[in-house]
Amino acid sequence: MKHQIALLGSTGSIGRQTLDIMRLHPDKFEAVTLTSNNNWEMLAAQAAEFLPDSVVIANKEHYKALSDALAALPIKVYAGEEALCQIVGNGNIDTVINALVGYAGLEPTLCAINAGKKVALANKETLVVAGDIVMKAAMDKRIPIIPIDSEHSAIFQCLAGEASAPSRLILTASGGPFLNMPAEEIENASVEQALAHPHWDMGRKITIDSATMLNKGLEVIEARWLFNMPPQHIDVAIHPQCVVHSMVEFADGTLKAQLGSADMRLPIQYALSFPERLPLPYPRFDITTAGSLTFSAPDTVRFPALRIAYEALEKGGNSCCILNAANEIAVAAFLERRIGFGDIRRTLEHTLERSTFIQRPTMDDYRASNAEARGIAERFVNAKH
Ligand code: MG
């Protein structure tokens, strides 16, 4: 039987690469629902190709344009963020792929878990904001959460078949476009420089996160919840070649790593085919011509966002929710050229200092904290220009 898939965020980078995988294996995967935030034109084209039962456009302004474009096809069209939550509960769906960007991905993940659907998770903010609540809900409902993020997929693959829990996780990081740049130049880096990632083809938000290295910080937080590993047992290693996608260490000192070319379609496909592996007809990493692979400790002086993320994780409570909210505001403001690159870090620190700390947040606390932190970050950013 084919896997019946709801793909949330089908027009983004991960969404489009997920459709590549579905094109390769039409006998295995079927799209039941496709969704987009704003890009109704691409969503209409995808719907015409994949003929899902339904589509959702989160921005209601585009509902009419999308409905008109699909009028001749037997596809239901819905609009609004709240429709995402309703649609993932659809009885036909067995797997929800969450490729949304940012906080917006959290509620649909919870809805999918509560509806008993398997979740393939590319939206790391789901676990950064409310990892404790999300993992507990998944545990209670016995819902597997399969990571799509390449580092977490690597760890997940290293753990497959192991009876023992790992003693340490080592997330690899490319170091981003500013790996060898002096601190003063990083401080004043342009949007173009920050968007020029040397290895991975990703969306704009995550590419900026990669340049500040907060992306790796968010991934440490994600790993903490996904693999139930205390933060002091999660390390980051700079590995500019992007061949080793992450590693695990076991009690006997054995290190296991997952290697491959830097292509997100591999972790996407594994998340869908797990526990099986399917063929993937893309260029292979050739170890005989690879040259050297290097690993080193990250520089948290030039990349303070990584340190800030560890501190937020250690402090616990709603700190990571605050951190994420501040970062979403700061990255958007940087992309709109309203603040400088170095101001992203300042926004994180300012917002973490000013926001209300809650030791044991409920889901409503997280929602309120997200709103409060966004307000604080927004005011800070506006005062900058
Ligand atoms: Mg990643």
Side-chain angles (χ1 to χ4, degrees), residues 124 149-152 206 215-216 219:
K124 64 189 70 174
D149 208 348
S150 62
E151 295 78 1
H152 306 77
I206 185 173
N215 182 52
K216 209 51 54 179
E219 289 179 352

